[in-house]
Amino acid sequence: MKLDENIFKALANQTRIDILAWLKKPEVEFTDVPVENIRYMLQHFGGICGSSIVIRSGLSQSTISNYLKTLVQVGLIQTERHGKWTYYRRNESTIQNLGKNIQRDL
C-alpha cells in the first residue's frame, strides 16, 4: 500500500479521528447506548449504527454523514447495510497498513 494523501486529509479533522477511536472501543465509548445493544449491533450487524455515532458526537446527522463518507472513501472504515440502517466499523487492515507504511516511508 502506497501512502495516500487523502487518508491524511481525512485524518486532519478531530471528529473523524474521534470516530475512529470510538469505533475501536465501542462498548466503552458509546455510553448513551446500553452495552447489550452495542454487543448486539456488533454481533449481528458487524458495526455501530450511524445514529449512535451522531448521538455520541453531538453534531448534526448531515455533518456526521459527510465525515463517515470521507472515512469510507479512504478505506478507514467499512459499512454494512441492514434495511434502512447502516452500521460502521473500523477497517483494521487499512489502519495497520497505514501505520506500517508511515513507519517505513516517513
Side-chain angles (χ1 to χ4, degrees):
M1 173 183 158
K2 183 181 171 190
L3 287 174
D4 179 359
E5 72 180 84
N6 291 320
I7 288 179
F8 293 103
K9 288 178 183 178
L11 294 173
N13 175 282
Q14 186 60 51
T15 303
R16 288 192 288 259
I17 292 170
D18 291 342
I19 291 168
L20 288 169
W22 300 336
L23 292 175
K24 185 173 184 176
K25 297 179 182 176
E27 292 176 348
V28 174
E29 295 294 340
F30 291 93
T31 56
D32 290 340
V33 180
V35 172
E36 51 275 357
N37 291 8
I38 295 290
R39 289 181 184 147
Y40 184 86
M41 280 189 264
L42 293 170
Q43 182 178 8
H44 295 282
F45 304 118
I48 300 299
C49 180
S51 62
S52 296
I53 298 170
V54 170
I55 292 167
R56 174 67 171 89
S57 73
L59 299 173
S60 71
Q61 185 277 330
S62 61
T63 298
I64 293 303
S65 179
N66 284 327
Y67 288 169
L68 291 168
K69 180 181 176 184
T70 298
L71 292 169
V72 169
Q73 287 174 337
V74 299
L76 292 171
I77 62 175
Q78 299 171 310
T79 64
E80 193 166 319
R81 187 116 174 126
H82 291 272
K84 64 179 183 171
W85 304 102
T86 303
Y87 296 85
Y88 298 87
R89 66 179 170 274
R90 290 164 42 110
N91 185 339
E92 295 299 338
S93 65
T94 297
I95 292 168
Q96 288 176 5
N97 285 334
L98 175 62
K100 288 176 187 175
N101 290 328
I102 288 172
Q103 192 172 36
R104 182 191 70 220
D105 296 340
L106 299 179

